[in-house]
């Protein structure tokens, strides 16, 4: 029998749930610690057995995620994303009352790195607001490559604000020479246990020259001085990215699924 959804669970219970799997639940822990968004949960006695973040994206985790189907269907959800099994539980319950997705990405491998990799140094550094006009089109291009939507067409002001926020929060890095981005990446989540990277990108004009590897190696070394683990996930058909991640020593630890609308 489906258990009822608990609205706005206590922070200590959310953090306890996330501590059970700090890599898979890194995004949930990050937004909970920062007080962002709204959560639903399923309780099992005194602890949580399932948790879900509700924003533009819906992010479920745990067992019993079908309980979040009703809330998900009521929202203008752009994407359901998270652990493959949890997303499957939610989507199997919600799909009869939700629009047909434009894409269903199964089997996205999750990678982690907890030892500094070897490699040549690079010019990777934290982005500043002076980099905004250089970064903004690169971030938009990465977003479109990954999600199939041009954010500068859908919501240019909102995307610009989010890019500024990433820079101001110290969650954006780049390596640029002669006004060309040789490597860039952002953090989509950051907790005491892990940093989750997203939008790893090299300008198409300079790809296949080793900049991606050098930039990622340098960034991971910098981050591992501050946090125990670097993690990310990738589309299974993106073989060049998978070769890059495995080539710097990342290992696969799980699988995500994304249902896009």
């Amino acid at each position: 029998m489906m258990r009822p959804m608990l609205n706005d669970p206590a922070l200590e219970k959310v953090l306890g749930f996330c501590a059970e799997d700090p890599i898979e639940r890194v995004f949930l822990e990050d937004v909970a610690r920062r007080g962002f968004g709204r959560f639903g949960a399923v309780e099992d006695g005194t602890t949580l057995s399932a948790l879900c973040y509700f924003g533009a994206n819906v992010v479920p985790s745990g067992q019993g995620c079908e309980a979040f189907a009703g809330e998900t269907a009521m929202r203008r959800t752009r994407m359901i994303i998270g652990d493959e099994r949890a997303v499957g539980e939610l989507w199997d319950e919600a799909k009869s009352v939700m629009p047909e997705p434009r894409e269903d990405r199964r089997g996205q491998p999750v990678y982690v790195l907890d030892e500094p990799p070897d490699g040549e140094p690079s010019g990777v550094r934290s982005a500043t607001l002076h980099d905004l006009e250089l970064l903004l089109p690169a971030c938009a291009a990465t977003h479109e490559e990954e999600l199939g939507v041009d954010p500068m067409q859908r919501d240019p002001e909102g995307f610009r604000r989010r890019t500024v926020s990433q820079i101001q929060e110290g969650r954006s890095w780049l390596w640029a020479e002669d006004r060309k981005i040789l490597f860039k990446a952002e953090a989509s989540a950051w907790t005491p246990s892990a940093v989750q990277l997203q939008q790893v990108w090299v300008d198409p004009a300079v790809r296949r020259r080793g900049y991606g590897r050098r930039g990622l190696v340098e960034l991971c070394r910098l981050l591992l001085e501050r946090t125990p683990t670097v993690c990310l996930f990738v589309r299974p058909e993106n073989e060049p990215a998978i070769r890059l991640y495995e080539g710097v020593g990342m290992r696969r630890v799980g699988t995500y699924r994304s249902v896009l609308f």
Side-chain angles (χ1 to χ4, degrees), residues 113 117 120 122 124-126 170-174 183-187 190 195 197-198 200 212-226 230:
L113 182 71
E120 297 180 56
S122 73
V124 170
R125 59 175 174 79
S126 294
R171 295 181 176 222
S172 179
W173 301 269
L174 81 163
F183 172 88
K184 79 156 195 72
E186 285 81 50
W190 198 329
V195 173
L197 296 179
Q198 67 171 1
V200 177
R213 178 185 174 87
R214 287 178 61 189
L216 184 62
V217 163
E218 184 84 352
L219 178 57
C220 287
R221 285 202 296 245
L222 292 171
L223 292 175
L224 288 171
E225 293 175 355
R226 304 170 62 185
V230 176

Side-chain angles (χ1 to χ4, degrees), residues 80-93:
I80 305 171
I81 182 170
D83 174 69
E84 184 157 29
R85 184 194 49 75
V87 170
E89 285 183 353
L90 194 164
W91 181 237
D92 285 347
E93 185 69 24

Side-chain angles (χ1 to χ4, degrees), residues 103-228:
E103 198 170 349
D104 186 351
R105 299 177 180 175
R106 301 170 183 259
Q108 298 174 94
V110 177
Y111 283 96
V112 301
L113 182 71
D114 48 26
E115 292 291 337
D118 295 324
E120 297 180 56
S122 73
V124 170
R125 59 175 174 79
S126 294
T128 73
L129 291 178
H130 293 295
D131 301 308
L132 178 61
E133 300 309 323
L134 181 63
L135 267 175
L136 192 62
C139 290
T142 314
H143 188 280
E144 187 170 10
E145 283 183 14
E146 293 184 353
L147 299 177
V149 175
D150 181 357
M152 298 306 289
Q153 291 292 326
R154 173 185 274 181
D155 181 15
E157 291 306 313
F159 189 76
R160 185 182 184 90
R161 285 195 302 272
R162 290 191 293 275
T163 304
V164 168
S165 293
Q166 285 180 320
I167 294 171
Q168 292 176 326
E169 292 169 3
R171 295 181 176 222
S172 179
W173 301 269
L174 81 163
W175 172 17
E177 295 180 1
D178 299 323
R179 301 299 294 173
K180 193 174 294 294
I181 293 180
L182 306 181
F183 172 88
K184 79 156 195 72
E186 285 81 50
S188 55
W190 198 329
T191 72
S193 300
V195 173
Q196 184 183 68
L197 296 179
Q198 67 171 1
Q199 296 195 345
V200 177
W201 192 81
V202 173
D203 190 297
V206 294
R207 289 179 182 175
R208 301 179 182 85
R209 300 185 191 178
Y211 294 122
R213 178 185 174 87
R214 287 178 61 189
L216 184 62
V217 163
E218 184 84 352
L219 178 57
C220 287
R221 285 202 296 245
L222 292 171
L223 292 175
L224 288 171
E225 293 175 355
R226 304 170 62 185
T227 192

Side-chain angles (χ1 to χ4, degrees), residues 236-251:
E237 66 271 22
N238 192 345
E239 295 180 2
I242 289 174
R243 287 196 299 270
L244 170 63
Y245 302 146
E246 293 181 349
V248 302
M250 289 186 162
R251 63 186 189 279

Side-chain angles (χ1 to χ4, degrees), residues 28-128:
L28 295 173
E29 181 176 347
D30 176 75
V31 293
R33 286 182 180 276
R34 296 201 287 165
F36 291 173
R38 177 175 176 273
F39 285 95
V42 176
E43 281 194 312
D44 184 7
T46 59
T47 60
L48 304 183
S49 59
L51 182 70
C52 191
Y53 167 82
F54 296 104
N57 297 339
V58 171
V59 186
S61 181
Q63 297 184 342
C65 292
E66 63 272 9
F68 309 127
E71 179 72 17
T72 301
M74 292 170 57
R75 293 173 166 268
R76 298 180 64 183
T77 301
R78 291 184 178 176
M79 179 164 54
I80 305 171
I81 182 170
D83 174 69
E84 184 157 29
R85 184 194 49 75
V87 170
E89 285 183 353
L90 194 164
W91 181 237
D92 285 347
E93 185 69 24
K95 62 185 177 183
S96 64
V97 292
M98 289 190 67
E100 186 74 17
R102 61 183 175 87
E103 198 170 349
D104 186 351
R105 299 177 180 175
R106 301 170 183 259
Q108 298 174 94
V110 177
Y111 283 96
V112 301
L113 182 71
D114 48 26
E115 292 291 337
D118 295 324
E120 297 180 56
S122 73
V124 170
R125 59 175 174 79
S126 294
T128 73

